[in-house]
Amino acid sequence: MKIKVIINGEKKVLDIEPHEILLDVLRRYGYYSVRRGCDTGMCGICTVLFDGKPVPSCSVFAARADGHEITTLEGLPEAKEFAELLAEEGADQCGYCSPGLIVNTVYLKKLKIKKMDEAKIKLIGNLCRCTGYEGQHRAIAKFLGVEK
Amino acid sequence: MKEVTRKIPKKDALGLLLGKPVYTDDIAPENSLIVKILRSPHAFARIKNIDTSEAEKIEGIECIITHLDLPRNPITRAGQGYPEPSPHDWYILDEYVRYVGDEVAIIAGKNEQCVEEALQKIKVEYEIFEPVLDFEKAEDHPSIIHPEKESHPMFEIGFDAEKNIAASYEMEIGNIEEELKNCDVVVHQRYYTQAQAHVAFEPHTAASYLDMHGRLVIISSTQVPFHVRRIIAEAFGLPIKDIRVIKPRIGGGFGGKQAIHGEPFVAAVTLKTGKPAKIVYTRQEVFEATYTRHPMRYDITLGATKDGKLKVIDMQGLSDTGAYGEHALTTFMVAGSKTLPLYNKVSAVRFTGKVVYTNKVPAGAFRGYGAIQGNFALESTIDMLAEKLGMDPVEFRKKNMIAEGETSPIFKIMGEGREGVEMFVRSCKLNECVEEGMKLINWKEKYPRVKISETKIRGVGMAIAMQGSGIANIDMGAAILKLNDDGSFNLLIGATDLGTGSDTILAQIAAEVLNVPTENIIVYSSDTDLTPFDVGAYASSTTYVSGNAVKRAAEKMKKLIIKEGARKLGIEESKVDFDGNYIYEINGDKKLPLKELATVLYYTENQKQLITDASYVGEESPPPFMAGFAEVEVDIETGKVKLINYVAVVDCGTTINPNLAKIQVEGGLVQGIGMTLFEDVKYSPNGKLLTNNLMHYKIPSRLDIGNIIVKFAESYEPTGPFGAKSVAEIGIDTPPAAIANAIYNAVGIRITSLPITPEKILMSLK
Amino acid sequence: MLSFKSYIKPKNIKEAYDLLQNNNAEIIGGATFLRLSNRKVDLAIDLIDAGLDYIKDTEENVEIGSMVTISEFEENPILSNLFNGYLKNVAETILSFQMRNIITIGGTLYPKYGFSDLITALLVLNTDIYLYHSGKISLEEYLKTKVHKDILEKIVIKKEKLKATFHYIRNSEYDFSILNVAVSKGKKVKIAVGARPGVATLAYKAMEYLNKNGLNENNIKEAAKIAAEEIVFADDIKTSKEYRKVVCEALVRRALLEVM
Ligand SMILES: Cc1cc2nc3c(=O)[nH]c(=O)nc-3n(C[C@H](O)[C@H](O)[C@H](O)COP(=O)(O)OP(=O)(O)OC[C@H]3O[C@@H](n4cnc5c(N)ncnc54)[C@H](O)[C@@H]3O)c2cc1C
Ligand code: FES
Ligand code: FES
């Protein structure tokens, strides 16, 4: 089937199977920042914005996106600023989890979160096996302008 | 030092962070056949018959390969030095399946859907055997997991397949029984550790194709590209020269990718069809059919005299290697060799035990590599002993632990899979680590416990640990440096960056020697055609072993630049030096910019390529040390443990890049915390892994870890590159014992099996 | 893998209901749990565009359409302020923010998952379920009723002066609850226990005991014991029934003390 989607601001017509998962379709169309970590909605690595809100793309059927808007890391201009903060802390190791974390954190910036604890609650679904989180928290605190 | 100790971001940081296509699945040939594996539903069976005819008819299916189609060369998947200390007991496909998830057939087709469909349509008849699921009953079990006669060890490792024993080991110094008689206090305790899963977030992925010369090219998320090349050659009976292995960026390894996993399956497809092929493991496959940590059991006996001197350590172990003997002997020995030297003043020490086969997910390498299992057992028992002696456990350790300039007979007796090397510890700031840690956790005020409320009690506990820096006399790393015409350098290394940042720190080492900015060193790593050999990323070897190789190559390059510069300047070599920018006359004012020399050497005079190389094999394996302090809060009505603070003070010598070193330790700690508190492993009664996804297998989230405080002791290892030792594994070792000790200090309950769940605590409190 | 032959997004609930009756079909709420199943279905009926994502605030009630996601309990001012933020606090600890952005109220209540935290929390409020075909039914009754091929249209929560609190035990914070307890106190006391691991249930005997004898520390202790005795627990992959029983008593006691 064909679906019409706005991806990163561009109108696209995508050819999909009815049961295909959004994550797979996005990768097939070259959005490689979208990666599969767990496939059960737990790791947050596949996070994209669906109509502006962070969702795990492994848990959304692509067909649902027909008529809706998707933003991946590639389409988030604010991503670079946060990425640089993470890099400065050395808070990226393998980097595999980073896109999901960045998409979700950039969204949090819009929520004007005031406390680190609140940010952590909203980021609990972004797992990382390499860094032990502390370095990420140092970078997140800087990016959101909250106390660590 | 200018470049070393600089906190620069990783060279690949922005590429990784901004989601560029850099992992195996992103760069696999676009028209790759999709490869999937039909896996055994039985824990132990023999394949009587496979009927693939229906499956083959499905549109899009290109090939289905069974054990009848492949060479049957016994190999080990473990990527270790050659000959490997792991038994050769694995076949690309075999008529026996030895755990739920073992490979039965390889299916390749044009897309996921047809391959999935074909998986359902293959008919397999099995002869089912009684599986061995309890490792304590494996030896002498009526079922023999490796009845085939081809399986064999490469040298004596105590392998006895008829008894389901993959390896065994024993050593004794002094006389345990006699010495125990002289002890005033003796304690004995048994411990169990679980089959922790690595959960590297990039699943195991491999792709293969034939290049224009017909050579097999494999792209793989591996920690050991050179070992992959050798093992694949052996498995298929191909010449090594016909294989090239490329490791792109990889999404974490932790030991789980120190082996071949998907590579032989894509290779089989490409060799058969001539077409590119790729396999991406599902998360469930990663859990069920790659590697776990070796579950172990230890019986520890310690004896001391009443003045607080530790006299005897006896460690008797049993390790479960699962269906295949990968890393069986070596992880087991490391449980002793990387713990026992901590207490080097004992009169008698013994370490014995066996590693048995079971019909479970194979165990393999995992950060800590036995040391974390041994540390949990030994460091928990040390606290028990200190209590019995009426001593503060920190004071007891300070009195008995190893110090700078000392040695331990263990270094010589226990290597990895064979004898080790004699070694005096040239750098050891363990005492400083302990002192600093006590301050940071506020031991004096918090030990042993503070009551917070009627139901909540806080306790503190600690443990010390050591690891190694590569395997002495075995691990080799090599580097090549090449001068470009703009004065920049290519650094070619076999070393494998798993996200650890090794490309960056190795560039920092080269830059420090050459006195140039790290930005001028362009790194290319881990491609068996283009980079020199390196054993790969394991055994905490990269900074120390590969780092020393890079340092040597850079020193040679510096000499070469001086030589060529002097010639151009027309002065004697001894009167010239190089400062990173200029080759200059030491007592004069002639000078020549490096860039100019480089251009001239390429294009105009005396043309040549300046290139240097070096190899390094450690003669020693200097241990990094650390002290870990945990503060926990136990809810006595629910048994729930909340980690409040974890303090780690580490002696890893010079931190080449302090940011990256810190993240290594933080990451290691959190994996150790996960193993201690959350990462529970459950099997069904017929041997299927139940904790096979992230809903049921819980790695720590960002809300589970409390406050983590990491500090480094000032330390300098004379044999290391610019004073560095390793830092990759040491962080993981202390949490099990330190947290168990803290819980004991809080509520008087000693938990001796991991993970420490609320249920275990509450049920023992009742 | 779950596979469909076709995927339809009906524009209203009637259309969805008709499609459901006449096909081998599956309703899609958030799809989060559904997609973990391994089945072949002819038709997926996605309710996303069926106009069911409304939140209506009336004098007496709050109506929540079945396609409202549970992150609305954190973000929507009407829902996040209900009962002093009680439901917000519960929602915020469920799974992850990303998942809460797609998990729907309908997909949470309709299948009666045993591990659900929200069901336990809603059970101590006055919550009614509206099914498109079967009509209105209280949540308490619904949990005991077998429903087939219906569609959950909305839930209605009665606004009352209530003090409510929710307690759970998880090992990792980022896990399913291995037991959860909700307690409310209005005119009467209600106690619900979920993740037993069976679906949430009210602790009738303990409630009766307290409603008869009044809330004080001693009675609370006794009621907690009664609750732990009357409720049926079982083993599962996360923990044993013995542990659940012991912890149930502690959590019920703590929750009751909080609303006392
Ligand atoms: C990994 C994971 C962890 C979780 N952890 C927790 C937890 O810790 N605590 C907790 O409380 N919950 C947890 N949940 C459950 C979650 O809260 C939801 O209950 C669940 O995911 C279903 O929500 P959904 O909207 O995605 O429903 P779907 O998956 O879309 O649907 C679930 C079922 O309900 C049917 N259905 C959906 N909507 C309707 C409707 N309107 N009418 C009729 N039938 C309908 C579907 O056909 C399907 O059979 C978890 C879920 C997942 C996937
Ligand atoms: S892959 Fe989607 S949440 Fe893990
Ligand atoms: S950096 Fe590797 S998983 Fe986060």
Side-chain angles (χ1 to χ4, degrees):
Chain A
M1 62 192 278
K2 286 208 179 354
I3 56 169
K4 285 189 192 148
V5 195
I6 300 177
I7 306 183
N8 298 336
E10 274 179 78
K11 282 192 189 149
K12 298 255 172 176
V13 178
L14 312 181
D15 215 345
I16 64 159
E17 297 289 331
H19 56 256
E20 250 187 310
I21 291 294
L22 182 59
L23 164 61
D24 294 313
V25 172
L26 289 171
R27 284 188 65 85
R28 188 146 54 72
Y29 280 91
Y31 302 95
Y32 287 110
S33 74
V34 188
R35 300 169 188 152
R36 177 175 270 116
C38 69
D39 211 24
T40 48
M42 294 302 297
C43 72
I45 289 173
C46 64
T47 303
V48 300
L49 301 180
F50 190 105
D51 292 339
K53 283 194 138 190
V55 305
S57 61
C58 71
S59 299
V60 175
F61 288 108
R64 167 169 279 194
D66 191 20
H68 294 265
E69 208 175 313
I70 305 289
T71 311
T72 68
L73 178 72
E74 286 91 343
L76 271 187
E78 306 92 322
K80 185 134 188 281
E81 183 195 338
F82 182 41
E84 278 166 357
L85 290 170
L86 286 164
E88 268 170 36
E89 289 296 335
D92 54 316
Q93 273 199 41
C94 77
Y96 199 77
C97 69
S98 310
L101 176 73
I102 294 175
V103 169
N104 204 6
T105 311
V106 165
Y107 175 83
L108 290 192
K109 188 148 191 173
K110 298 203 181 97
L111 292 188
K112 304 217 163 48
I113 284 206
K114 305 225 168 41
K115 285 205 224 92
M116 193 59 198
D117 284 347
E118 259 176 85
K120 283 191 198 172
I121 289 174
K122 294 257 198 274
L123 291 168
I124 194 172
N126 292 92
L127 293 175
C128 175
R129 188 59 154 170
C130 300
T131 65
Y133 302 113
E134 290 287 325
Q136 291 183 354
H137 292 162
R138 293 189 281 272
I140 291 165
K142 281 189 203 160
F143 179 67
L144 297 181
V146 297
E147 297 254 327
K148 207 206 141 230
Chain B
M1 285 186 271
K2 254 164 60 187
E3 294 303 313
V4 160
T5 71
R6 210 179 132 200
K7 295 179 177 180
I8 41 175
K10 288 195 317 157
K11 283 192 167 279
D12 49 3
L14 285 183
L16 293 177
L17 286 161
L18 293 173
K20 297 288 181 278
V22 293
Y23 302 98
T24 302
D25 185 34
D26 305 340
I27 60 173
E30 222 164 276
N31 53 348
S32 292
L33 295 176
I34 302 297
V35 177
K36 286 189 186 288
I37 305 296
L38 178 69
R39 297 187 177 279
S40 169
H42 304 294
F44 192 22
R46 194 179 64 83
I47 298 167
K48 288 205 291 199
N49 189 36
I50 305 189
D51 177 3
T52 58
S53 53
E54 283 296 302
E56 267 157 19
K57 284 187 211 141
I58 293 167
E59 157 105 25
I61 292 298
E62 289 270 336
C63 71
I64 298 180
I65 300 170
T66 72
H67 68 277
L68 300 170
D69 309 316
L70 289 168
R72 194 167 189 283
N73 300 327
I75 57 155
T76 176
R77 293 180 298 176
Q80 300 177 287
Y82 186 81
E84 304 97 335
S86 298
H88 283 209
D89 59 6
W90 192 87
Y91 309 84
I92 308 169
L93 290 177
D94 194 10
E95 66 170 326
Y96 286 94
V97 285
R98 299 182 179 82
Y99 67 100
V100 176
D102 210 349
E103 293 88 9
V104 173
I106 307 165
I107 301 104
K110 292 212 160 66
N111 55 49
E112 292 263 337
Q113 219 179 333
C114 72
V115 179
E116 284 286 345
E117 212 180 313
L119 276 175
Q120 314 293 330
K121 294 258 161 79
I122 298 175
K123 296 193 196 89
V124 190
E125 262 180 73
Y126 293 99
E127 179 186 354
I128 298 168
F129 307 121
E130 194 202 330
V132 182
L133 297 173
D134 179 349
F135 79 125
E136 294 180 290
K137 296 190 182 130
E139 194 181 343
D140 298 323
H141 194 285
S143 292
I144 297 171
I145 297 171
H146 285 277
E148 70 281 0
K149 46 186 187 313
E150 300 91 328
S151 291
H152 65 278
M154 300 297 280
F155 48 86
E156 182 48 45
I157 56 170
F159 173 83
D160 186 353
E162 302 219 324
K163 292 186 158 171
N164 288 327
I165 294 174
S168 46
Y169 180 78
E170 49 182 72
M171 74 91 195
E172 183 169 353
I173 302 168
N175 186 325
I176 296 282
E177 276 72 27
E178 282 307 309
E179 289 297 336
L180 278 176
K181 287 183 197 152
N182 302 329
C183 291
D184 303 307
V185 175
V186 174
V187 289
H188 174 85
Q189 184 63 53
R190 171 171 279 194
Y191 300 88
Y192 292 89
T193 62
Q194 81 277 38
Q196 187 182 22
H198 305 74
V199 198
F201 268 115
E202 180 204 18
H204 296 64
T205 308
S208 60
Y209 59 93
L210 298 180
D211 71 8
M212 66 172 180
H213 312 292
R215 293 169 74 231
L216 177 68
V217 182
I218 297 176
I219 307 171
S220 173
S221 62
T222 181
Q223 296 175 231
V224 285
F226 285 91
H227 293 328
V228 169
R229 182 175 67 169
R230 189 193 71 244
I231 297 169
I232 292 291
E234 200 176 351
F236 287 92
L238 290 173
I240 284 182
K241 72 179 162 61
D242 286 348
I243 304 172
R244 173 181 180 188
V245 178
I246 300 167
K247 180 226 64 135
R249 296 292 99 188
I250 93 166
F254 320 119
K257 295 170 180 168
Q258 190 196 334
I260 58 161
H261 286 290
E263 297 91 340
F265 310 128
V266 289
V269 170
T270 295
L271 291 172
K272 179 155 180 184
T273 62
K275 296 184 181 174
K278 77 170 175 187
I279 188 166
V280 183
Y281 278 46
T282 63
R283 182 54 53 190
Q284 187 180 338
E285 282 182 297
V286 175
F287 274 109
E288 289 181 353
T290 62
Y291 267 179
T292 71
R293 188 185 290 292
H294 286 78
M296 293 187 190
R297 183 190 78 194
Y298 280 100
D299 287 294
I300 309 279
T301 305
L302 299 181
T305 46
K306 57 175 177 288
D307 55 352
K309 287 202 179 115
L310 184 61
K311 288 290 179 194
V312 176
I313 307 180
D314 185 19
M315 278 179 96
Q316 304 193 7
L318 183 70
S319 170
D320 177 358
T321 189
Y324 299 97
E326 290 135 344
H327 302 269
L329 176 65
T330 38
T331 48
F332 183 63
M333 287 179 72
V334 166
S337 66
K338 301 284 194 283
T339 55
L340 296 171
L342 285 168
Y343 301 103
N344 60 335
K345 299 166 193 77
V346 294
S347 320
V349 47
R350 179 165 64 188
F351 185 89
T352 65
K354 292 171 183 151
V355 189
V356 292
Y357 287 114
T358 58
N359 293 110
K360 288 181 153 176
V361 179
F366 195 153
R367 195 182 209 170
Y369 204 77
I372 182 170
Q373 293 97 316
N375 193 283
F376 171 56
L378 179 61
E379 283 293 280
S380 292
T381 321
I382 290 282
D383 259 40
M384 293 172 65
L385 186 67
E387 187 187 28
K388 228 173 163 183
L389 284 163
M391 279 177 81
D392 180 309
V394 180
E395 292 312 313
F396 180 79
R397 285 185 177 82
K398 279 173 41 183
K399 204 167 168 145
N400 290 286
M401 69 198 188
I402 194 166
E404 200 158 276
E406 294 180 356
T407 186
S408 157
I410 302 290
F411 293 139
K412 172 97 175 85
I413 293 175
M414 296 179 83
E416 278 188 38
R418 60 180 198 185
E419 271 207 350
V421 294
E422 210 172 306
M423 173 172 72
F424 280 82
V425 178
R426 297 169 198 264
S427 59
C428 173
K429 302 292 179 228
L430 197 45
N431 200 52
E432 287 80 346
C433 292
V434 170
E435 293 283 347
E436 177 73 9
M438 279 176 85
K439 267 189 226 142
L440 289 168
I441 201 90
N442 200 356
W443 184 265
K444 294 227 161 81
E445 274 171 36
K446 291 179 177 167
Y447 175 78
R449 76 186 66 83
V450 177
K451 195 168 168 185
I452 299 295
S453 72
E454 281 309 308
T455 58
K456 300 211 165 111
I457 302 172
R458 288 190 181 181
V460 288
M462 62 91 64
I464 56 174
M466 61 176 281
Q467 201 74 21
S469 301
I471 307 167
N473 286 343
I474 293 183
D475 288 347
M476 191 269 271
I480 294 174
L481 260 176
K482 180 162 116 351
L483 176 67
N484 290 318
D485 45 351
D486 64 348
S488 67
F489 300 87
N490 289 115
L491 174 62
L492 306 178
I493 39 178
T496 313
D497 190 332
L498 320 178
T500 47
S502 64
D503 282 359
T504 308
I505 61 135
L506 293 175
Q508 284 180 269
I509 290 171
E512 181 69 38
V513 175
L514 293 164
N515 214 359
V516 300
T518 301
E519 291 73 4
N520 286 6
I521 311 279
I522 302 134
V523 185
Y524 184 73
S525 56
S526 323
D527 177 333
T528 58
D529 266 13
L530 303 181
T531 63
F533 178 79
D534 192 293
V535 286
Y538 60 87
S540 293
S541 60
T542 304
T543 304
Y544 183 77
V545 176
S546 316
N548 265 322
V550 168
K551 182 162 176 264
R552 286 182 176 181
E555 282 161 358
K556 283 191 188 167
M557 176 57 79
K558 187 171 173 185
K559 278 207 189 110
L560 209 53
I561 290 170
I562 290 172
K563 180 172 161 204
E564 294 301 329
R567 183 154 153 173
K568 172 90 174 111
L569 288 169
I571 328 175
E572 237 179 86
E573 233 179 282
S574 62
K575 304 213 162 102
V576 172
D577 206 350
F578 171 58
D579 68 3
N581 287 316
Y582 295 96
I583 301 96
Y584 64 94
E585 195 180 0
I586 296 170
N587 293 313
D589 34 64
K590 283 196 182 165
K591 61 179 185 177
L592 168 70
L594 172 66
K595 186 175 176 327
E596 192 182 320
L597 175 68
T599 313
V600 166
L601 286 175
Y602 261 48
Y603 299 109
T604 46
E605 284 170 45
N606 179 33
Q607 284 98 316
K608 63 177 60 149
Q609 171 70 63
L610 295 199
I611 190 161
T612 60
D613 72 283
S615 305
Y616 187 85
V617 188
E619 285 167 17
E620 301 181 357
S621 173
F625 295 95
M626 77 162 265
F629 290 79
E631 182 181 3
V632 300
E633 182 176 291
V634 184
D635 182 331
I636 55 170
E637 285 185 339
T638 63
K640 175 150 167 146
V641 175
K642 205 164 123 191
L643 186 62
I644 306 294
N645 286 306
Y646 203 99
V647 168
V649 189
V650 181
D651 163 11
C652 63
T654 304
T655 52
I656 304 280
N657 183 322
N659 269 355
L660 301 184
K662 189 167 188 183
I663 295 273
Q664 277 295 322
V665 177
E666 289 169 345
L669 287 173
V670 170
Q671 283 178 358
I673 291 166
M675 175 161 166
T676 311
L677 293 173
F678 308 115
E679 300 181 27
D680 211 353
V681 179
K682 300 239 164 92
Y683 277 89
S684 76
N686 54 5
K688 182 172 168 63
L689 183 71
L690 298 174
T691 41
N692 61 4
N693 58 48
L694 283 164
M695 294 188 281
H696 294 319
Y697 188 85
K698 303 311 298 182
I699 66 168
S701 77
R702 64 185 73 243
L703 289 181
D704 290 320
I705 53 175
N707 244 333
I708 291 188
I709 300 141
V710 173
K711 289 271 165 2
F712 292 96
E714 285 276 329
S715 170
Y716 190 92
E717 168 56 40
T719 67
F722 299 103
K725 298 187 274 190
S726 82
V727 71
E729 292 183 274
I730 183 78
I732 204 171
D733 294 333
T734 57
I739 292 172
N741 289 339
I743 291 168
Y744 180 83
N745 291 336
V747 294
I749 299 281
R750 178 151 300 281
I751 305 293
T752 54
S753 72
L754 298 181
I756 305 177
T757 58
E759 176 169 358
K760 285 182 192 165
I761 293 180
L762 193 65
M763 290 335 212
S764 352
L765 273 169
K766 283 274 145 186
Chain C
M1 206 174 88
L2 180 63
S3 77
F4 313 119
K5 292 206 186 102
S6 48
Y7 195 101
I8 300 186
K9 300 200 277 183
K11 289 279 175 268
N12 57 57
I13 190 163
K14 173 166 191 321
E15 201 184 310
Y17 183 79
D18 293 343
L19 284 167
L20 181 63
Q21 301 315 308
N22 301 323
N23 289 284
N24 164 17
E26 196 70 64
I27 295 286
I28 304 217
T32 56
F33 227 78
L34 195 61
R35 73 161 291 264
L36 300 177
S37 56
N38 200 352
R39 265 179 302 153
K40 277 194 175 153
V41 178
D42 289 341
L43 176 63
I45 306 168
D46 186 341
L47 301 180
I48 190 171
D49 295 334
L52 294 171
D53 56 351
Y54 53 83
I55 298 167
K56 282 189 203 146
D57 195 15
T58 66
E59 191 89 352
E60 277 160 25
N61 297 316
V62 178
E63 280 183 27
I64 308 172
S66 69
M67 286 303 284
V68 168
T69 62
I70 61 174
S71 60
E72 291 298 330
F73 286 98
E74 320 159 54
E75 301 204 323
N76 179 287
I78 301 167
L79 298 186
S80 64
N81 289 319
L82 273 181
F83 307 102
N84 264 329
Y86 163 68
L87 291 172
K88 173 179 195 272
N89 292 341
V90 177
E92 258 184 353
T93 70
I94 295 176
L95 201 51
S96 69
F97 182 52
Q98 291 98 309
M99 287 287 268
R100 295 196 293 275
N101 277 333
I102 47 177
I103 289 172
T104 61
I105 272 286
T108 298
L109 294 187
Y110 187 84
K112 305 174 193 161
Y113 295 125
F115 52 74
S116 175
D117 293 307
L118 209 53
I119 292 181
T120 311
L122 289 171
L123 198 52
V124 297
L125 306 176
N126 236 318
T127 310
D128 287 323
I129 306 271
Y130 286 75
L131 295 164
Y132 180 74
H133 178 73
S134 316
K136 172 181 155 176
I137 179 170
S138 73
L139 174 59
E140 184 185 345
E141 277 312 306
Y142 176 72
L143 294 179
K144 300 172 189 160
T145 312
K146 273 216 162 73
V147 178
H148 186 61
K149 278 205 171 194
D150 209 336
I151 296 182
L152 198 157
E153 190 172 349
K154 65 177 178 190
I155 70 167
V156 175
I157 304 173
K158 191 168 169 207
K159 287 190 188 166
E160 296 173 273
K161 255 186 93 80
L162 279 183
K163 223 169 151 185
T165 183
F166 181 81
H167 285 243
Y168 61 80
I169 174 87
R170 294 174 193 159
N171 186 12
S172 161
E173 271 307 305
Y174 188 39
D175 197 355
F176 298 95
S177 297
I178 47 188
L179 193 90
N180 58 37
V181 167
V183 159
S184 70
K185 193 189 93 177
K187 287 193 194 89
K188 289 193 164 172
V189 175
K190 277 191 188 175
I191 305 167
V193 180
R196 317 171 278 123
V199 72
T201 173
L202 291 172
Y204 292 102
K205 288 184 189 158
M207 282 159 48
E208 196 190 311
Y209 178 84
L210 283 176
N211 289 328
K212 214 154 117 202
N213 300 308
L215 263 189
N216 62 37
E217 255 179 68
N218 274 339
N219 290 346
I220 284 174
K221 262 194 200 152
E222 188 54 32
K225 273 200 197 113
I226 298 173
E229 281 304 326
E230 73 178 293
I231 285 172
V232 181
F233 302 100
D235 295 335
D236 70 352
I237 188 172
K238 301 273 176 194
T239 197
S240 70
K241 66 173 180 232
E242 290 77 19
Y243 175 74
R244 286 196 161 98
K245 185 168 174 180
V246 179
V247 132
C248 174
E249 186 181 333
L251 293 193
V252 169
R253 188 174 57 240
R254 283 181 188 183
L256 286 168
L257 286 171
E258 233 176 271
V259 300
M260 190 172 78

